Amino acid sequence: MNNFGYVLDMKNYSIQRESILKTVQGTHSHPTAEWVFSKVKKTLPNVSLGTVYRNLGLLADNGKIQAIHFDGVIHYDGTMENHQHFYCIECKTIIDIHIPNKSFVSEVEQKTNHIIANSHVHMNGICKSCKSK
Amino acid sequence: MNNFGYVLDMKNYSIQRESILKTVQGTHSHPTAEWVFSKVKKTLPNVSLGTVYRNLGLLADNGKIQAIHFDGVIHYDGTMENHQHFYCIECKTIIDIHIPNKSFVSEVEQKTNHIIANSHVHMNGICKSCKSK
DNA sequence: TCATATTTAGGAATGATTCCTATTTTTATT
DNA sequence: AATAAAAATAGGAATCATTCCTAAATATGA
């Protein structure tokens, strides 16, 4: 058993995968594959973009990181705890919102009879600091 | 003034634009540009895909329809009233949820001091009818 | 009808992501 | 430590949704 406890297709350890995981976990900036690629390249200059994409996908599939789609681009998030996102249309920043939306989700489950596996609130607007300018 | 009351770049009437708007407004299936294209082509065989994309974008910018990003693909929604979306991972259907999430939004606004212009809840799970199989 | 502004058709270009394959690395076994 | 099988990688080609470009067509207002 490797030190990640991988399942499914992630059977072997690789330094690339470890670096990609650590890079996503080490930021709150909701990076794209391209950004992760540029970071990982600093310690592993020969890493390929395809490897970054493949591993980000695998890590998300295996519940190690989250994939969030923003305007047609995949962003990754190392925080697995359920939380929401606010996008500032002014400074183009994605801000984490750690406020639960549980009552809404259970209201929907109750009224619709669908099973909700996961949910995500995506908010757009003007952030606190842009507002005060 | 044309019969749509367009603003911004939508200055002139065109039969293509009208057909595209009516097509989106005439379904609850959250269509993609490609789907709208195939529908519009039935009455306007020479319509081009670029025209469909351009008009869907303009109509969304002008508040006539909504653009929703699902897994990196833009879907359009003719219902402008605020509502949420549930995606069934079994039958791959997008289902409208007409339950307001207002209290959550105002809680976030109050606690964070951001201005929330709009918000959207994206839920994934298994729908009622798939559940009962 | 005329002059101007707007829109279109058609196709090329873009950009994020996925796919392909020969080579390299990891792992399990001896 | 040597070896064979399995898994992962590098590098680049392919894909696919979307945007951009331009000459021709259409709509508008006078």
Side-chain angles (χ1 to χ4, degrees):
Chain A
M1 175 66 79
N2 61 54
N3 50 357
F4 290 126
Y6 290 149
V7 289
L8 292 174
D9 287 331
M10 303 173 73
K11 294 180 182 165
N12 287 1
Y13 170 88
S14 84
I15 190 114
Q16 291 88 340
R17 182 170 298 158
E18 180 178 33
S19 174
I20 290 162
L21 176 58
K22 292 284 152 54
T23 299
V24 175
Q25 287 176 336
T27 180
H28 290 286
S29 70
H30 310 87
T32 61
E34 202 71 47
W35 189 92
V36 174
F37 176 58
S38 74
K39 285 286 172 188
V40 170
K41 221 169 19 180
K42 290 181 181 175
T43 47
L44 302 172
N46 293 323
V47 72
S48 75
L49 185 57
T51 294
V52 173
Y53 269 101
R54 185 168 33 78
N55 278 293
L56 287 171
L58 283 169
L59 289 163
D61 288 348
N62 285 277
K64 304 291 175 191
I65 62 178
Q66 283 191 72
I68 326 160
H69 292 261
F70 266 92
D71 287 323
V73 181
I74 309 175
H75 291 252
Y76 292 91
D77 193 330
T79 306
M80 289 307 290
E81 179 194 337
N82 180 266
H83 64 285
Q84 324 303 335
H85 291 101
F86 175 89
Y87 178 72
C88 178
I89 58 177
E90 197 75 23
C91 61
K92 278 91 170 84
T93 311
I94 300 169
I95 300 172
D96 286 329
I97 305 291
H98 285 281
I99 297 175
N101 195 30
K102 268 194 173 173
S103 63
F104 174 77
V105 170
S106 50
E107 184 184 355
V108 174
E109 276 193 318
Q110 195 189 323
K111 289 186 177 168
T112 65
N113 274 310
H114 305 319
I115 298 171
I116 300 175
N118 58 70
S119 72
H120 175 233
V121 186
H122 182 144
M123 291 160 276
N124 296 291
I126 298 173
C127 78
K128 186 185 178 175
S129 60
C130 286
K131 190 175 79 173
S132 63
K133 276 168 195 165
Chain B
M1 177 65 82
N2 61 54
N3 50 357
F4 290 128
Y6 289 150
V7 289
L8 291 174
D9 287 331
M10 304 173 74
K11 294 181 181 164
N12 286 1
Y13 171 87
S14 84
I15 190 115
Q16 291 88 341
R17 182 171 299 158
E18 180 178 33
S19 174
I20 290 162
L21 175 58
K22 292 283 152 52
T23 300
V24 176
Q25 287 176 335
T27 180
H28 290 286
S29 69
H30 309 87
T32 62
E34 202 71 46
W35 189 92
V36 174
F37 177 58
S38 73
K39 284 288 172 185
V40 171
K41 224 172 11 183
K42 290 180 180 175
T43 48
L44 301 172
N46 293 324
V47 72
S48 74
L49 185 57
T51 294
V52 172
Y53 269 101
R54 185 168 34 78
N55 279 291
L56 287 170
L58 283 170
L59 290 164
D61 288 348
N62 285 275
K64 304 291 175 191
I65 61 177
Q66 283 191 72
I68 326 159
H69 292 260
F70 266 91
D71 287 323
V73 181
I74 309 175
H75 292 252
Y76 292 91
D77 193 330
T79 306
M80 289 307 289
E81 180 193 337
N82 181 266
H83 65 285
Q84 324 303 334
H85 292 101
F86 176 88
Y87 178 74
C88 178
I89 57 177
E90 198 75 24
C91 61
K92 277 93 170 84
T93 311
I94 300 169
I95 299 172
D96 286 328
I97 305 292
H98 286 280
I99 296 175
N101 195 29
K102 267 194 173 175
S103 63
F104 175 76
V105 170
S106 50
E107 183 185 354
V108 174
E109 276 193 316
Q110 194 189 324
K111 288 187 178 168
T112 64
N113 273 311
H114 305 320
I115 298 170
I116 301 175
N118 58 72
S119 73
H120 175 234
V121 186
H122 182 144
M123 291 160 276
N124 296 292
I126 298 172
C127 79
K128 186 184 178 176
S129 62
C130 285
K131 191 175 78 173
S132 63
K133 277 170 194 163

